[in-house]
Amino acid sequence: MKSHVTAFAGGLLFGVGLLVSGMTEPAKVTGFLDVSGAWDPSLALVMLGAIGVHAVAYRLIRRRPAPLFESTFHVPTRKDVDGKLLAGAAIFGVGWGLAGYCPGPGLTSLAGGSATSAVFVATMVAGMLLQHLTQYVLNHPSRNGGPESNRSIPVANPGLAR
């Protein structure tokens, strides 16, 4: 339970930081990306501030034997860069540039009742669901002639599938 409270507090702090810095406004993002016009460097300053705080905090936190509310640290171990990572980063960047939102500011703006962010978040969720469905179809044993090749896609309530 403590880890959920900590996650909520961290998310709330992140959201407040986005609001205070103005990063929930798509005009800030598009202004930052407009390097040949009226460039707005404020996003770069927010990123530098966040990276600086993280660099110091990460070094201090990693000296501990374990997090405060967990038994171990959960640090990613993969360090490889593959085509899926590069394609996903490119798609993310194009979406960010077109919409002026990335997921954090989009959700924060949604909480403020912005109709534009509601459309952004809805399409972001649709994209996530499409990605999960695509991965399921591509990785399902029936595609490879495995033991489950004669089974249909599982449904949440099998009684409704008849």
Side-chain angles (χ1 to χ4, degrees):
M1 178 64 173
K2 289 181 181 180
S3 62
H4 294 300
V5 172
T6 305
F8 179 80
L12 184 63
L13 182 63
F14 178 76
V16 169
L18 289 171
L19 285 170
V20 169
S21 65
M23 292 301 119
T24 58
E25 300 172 27
K28 283 275 194 188
V29 174
T30 54
F32 172 72
L33 297 173
D34 185 12
V35 293
S36 63
W39 185 61
D40 179 0
S42 59
L43 179 58
L45 297 174
V46 170
M47 284 193 258
L48 285 173
I51 291 168
V53 169
H54 173 75
V56 172
Y58 187 79
R59 289 187 182 274
L60 293 173
I61 289 168
R62 289 296 290 181
R63 290 182 185 167
R64 299 180 51 81
L68 293 175
F69 304 119
E70 290 283 335
S71 58
T72 62
F73 285 105
H74 303 283
V75 179
T77 56
R78 286 187 62 178
K79 297 183 187 321
D80 59 320
V81 175
D82 61 1
K84 288 188 340 184
L85 176 65
L86 294 174
I91 292 168
F92 178 90
V94 169
W96 185 39
L98 290 174
Y101 285 119
C102 65
L107 291 170
T108 303
S109 295
L110 180 65
S114 166
T116 305
S117 64
V119 171
F120 171 79
V121 170
T123 54
M124 178 180 71
V125 169
M128 290 175 173
L129 293 173
L130 180 62
Q131 185 274 336
H132 283 288
L133 178 64
T134 302
Q135 287 301 309
Y136 177 80
V137 169
L138 292 176
N139 296 327
H140 196 266
S142 65
R143 287 194 42 88
N144 303 323
E148 298 180 11
S149 60
N150 294 328
R151 293 187 184 176
S152 61
I153 296 175
V155 293
N157 186 346
L160 297 175
R162 294 184 184 148

